[in-house]
Amino acid sequence: MKLIFSLILLLAITLTLILLITIVAAIRKLTGKPFWKSFKAGLWILLLPPLALLYGSFIERNQTQTNNVEIVSENVPATFDGYKIVQISDLHLLSFLGREKTLSKIVEKINSQQPDAILFTGDLVTQNSTELDSTEKILARLKAPDGVYSILGNHDYSFYNQWPSEEQRKKDADAIIQRQRAIGWNILLNENKNITRDANGQTDTISIIGVENTSSKHKFRSYGNLGKAMQGAEGKFKILLTHDPSHWRKEVLPKTNIDLTLSGHTHAMQSTFFGWSVISFVYKEYMGLYTEGQQHLYVNIGLGETMFPFRVGAKPEITVITLRSASS
């Protein structure tokens, strides 16, 4: 299926380029240049799309980029100054079947950052829970002193698979949840976890809040309840895990004082050109760090792929986020 999608994409790009070559040749003809000479001279550009896809399939999708981000806030308690988080997202384990060694290297690289906590922002699978069969032992090696936390993305509800009944879909979606718990991950389903540090006779707290998939885009179903998820979140500094970055403007900014929101979902469409992706026509925030006042959003472009088995200009991402106390 991925091969078919890739060939369709390649055909669409090729036809677009032929149209552009034709337009350029027609314009040059108006200036006195021979049409066919200009057209033939421009055909070399048709080599670029297949070369880019081959590069993205065999080289870039097997590399990782580590992006380091500092978040400075007055709400970060002094005892949490220097607190290190690794954010990962969109594993889409189907894309690692047959590439388990690559996944193992990614896990080693994450652990080598020595994070205090690891936060996964959804889309563990692409189609169903069986994708964990050959990968869950690898993922179980992810370790951090304060734990590994995860949420569900739109793919983790098993909607992208054909099921004989709705009951079987729900059963598989529940299996995805239970298998995360079995490997020691703390999956947050509209709930939160308070992390504390004791110093000088007092206790400082930050909160990790996780919501189920929530989107402003109608094609993606929303199950999140942010109000419920925040109940009991006592941290002065609050971190929200929400898969779809459109949730930030839909609800987080207008209704909460959450300091840092972490999302994934977009993949930056697995391709960027000089730092820009066509998915910007759909998502205003689709890659990297965004700030409004004292509130921040980071969109991780993921580790796996869907539809197309390649990445061009959008290497799989590990994000290392260090919290800094403004008072320090």
Side-chain angles (χ1 to χ4, degrees):
M1 185 62 72
K2 287 186 176 181
L3 177 60
I4 293 173
F5 280 129
S6 297
L7 291 175
I8 291 173
L9 177 64
L10 183 60
L11 177 61
I13 294 173
T14 300
L15 292 175
T16 301
L17 290 176
I18 290 174
L19 177 61
L20 290 175
I21 293 169
T22 302
I23 292 172
V24 171
I27 293 173
R28 287 175 61 85
K29 183 179 180 180
L30 295 175
T31 63
K33 305 291 184 180
F35 175 86
W36 285 111
K37 184 177 181 180
S38 299
F39 182 84
K40 291 176 183 178
L43 289 177
W44 69 268
I45 202 170
L46 298 181
L47 293 173
L48 295 182
L51 289 175
L53 293 187
L54 287 172
Y55 165 78
S57 297
F58 293 100
I59 298 178
E60 189 161 316
R61 76 187 293 236
N62 293 306
Q63 299 175 335
T64 56
Q65 58 178 327
T66 301
N67 291 326
N68 292 278
V69 178
E70 279 198 352
I71 299 295
V72 181
S73 172
E74 294 179 353
N75 290 332
V76 174
T79 51
F80 282 90
D81 185 65
Y83 192 84
K84 186 184 289 187
I85 294 164
V86 165
Q87 181 199 3
I88 55 176
S89 195
D90 296 84
L91 275 161
H92 291 285
L93 291 173
L94 182 64
S95 62
F96 285 100
L97 300 187
R99 299 171 59 232
E100 286 82 2
K101 288 185 179 179
T102 299
L103 181 62
S104 185
K105 289 179 181 179
I106 289 172
V107 167
E108 291 172 7
K109 192 170 185 178
I110 293 168
N111 286 336
S112 72
Q113 302 298 323
Q114 299 183 312
D116 294 291
I118 298 171
L119 308 182
F120 175 69
T121 45
D123 275 3
L124 181 63
V125 304
T126 299
Q127 294 180 340
N128 59 64
S129 63
T130 62
E131 295 167 35
L132 282 153
D133 291 351
S134 65
T135 56
E136 63 184 348
K137 288 184 179 179
I138 300 172
L139 297 178
R141 300 206 305 264
L142 286 171
K143 301 294 180 183
D146 288 327
V148 180
Y149 296 87
S150 66
I151 57 170
L152 297 177
N154 54 296
H155 281 263
D156 296 322
Y157 296 91
S158 302
F159 283 116
Y160 299 85
N161 195 59
Q162 292 184 348
W163 300 101
S165 67
E166 176 65 6
E167 181 182 356
Q168 286 186 277
R169 181 199 67 78
K170 289 181 178 179
K171 184 178 180 180
D172 190 79
D174 185 62
I176 293 169
I177 294 172
Q178 298 307 324
R179 292 179 78 164
Q180 289 183 63
R181 289 173 174 158
I183 63 174
W185 290 18
N186 303 284
I187 186 163
L188 300 174
L189 304 173
N190 296 324
E191 52 196 333
N192 64 78
K193 172 69 174 180
N194 293 315
I195 297 175
T196 60
R197 292 284 187 274
D198 294 321
N200 302 320
Q202 69 176 31
T203 300
D204 292 329
T205 307
I206 65 172
S207 295
I208 299 174
I209 303 162
V211 293
E212 293 196 53
N213 194 65
T214 306
S215 178
S216 67
K217 313 300 180 184
H218 296 301
K219 69 176 290 187
F220 300 113
R221 305 186 192 194
S222 293
Y223 299 91
N225 186 327
L226 186 54
K228 178 183 177 183
M230 292 182 68
Q231 290 177 10
E234 301 170 354
K236 185 178 180 182
F237 187 87
K238 295 180 175 63
I239 303 167
L240 173 67
L241 311 184
T242 181
H243 180 65
D244 191 315
S246 67
H247 187 203
W248 193 52
R249 291 197 178 275
K250 177 183 179 181
E251 187 175 22
V252 179
L253 284 179
K255 297 182 180 180
T256 78
N257 62 348
I258 289 171
D259 302 279
L260 174 61
T261 299
L262 302 179
S263 297
H265 184 57
T266 70
H267 304 200
M269 213 160 181
Q270 295 166 209
S271 59
T272 66
F273 307 92
F274 303 102
W276 174 85
S277 170
V278 293
I279 204 167
S280 63
F281 293 121
V282 181
Y283 284 91
K284 183 176 181 180
E285 291 87 17
Y286 65 91
M287 179 176 67
L289 182 65
Y290 303 86
T291 300
E292 291 277 346
Q294 300 301 311
Q295 294 176 278
H296 309 278
L297 165 69
Y298 193 91
V299 183
N300 179 293
I301 62 173
L303 290 164
E305 307 93 31
T306 57
M307 295 182 68
F308 310 112
F310 64 81
R311 283 175 173 263
V312 178
K315 290 181 182 179
E317 180 179 8
I318 297 169
T319 311
V320 180
I321 300 171
T322 304
L323 304 184
R324 295 295 182 190
S325 173
S327 61
S328 297

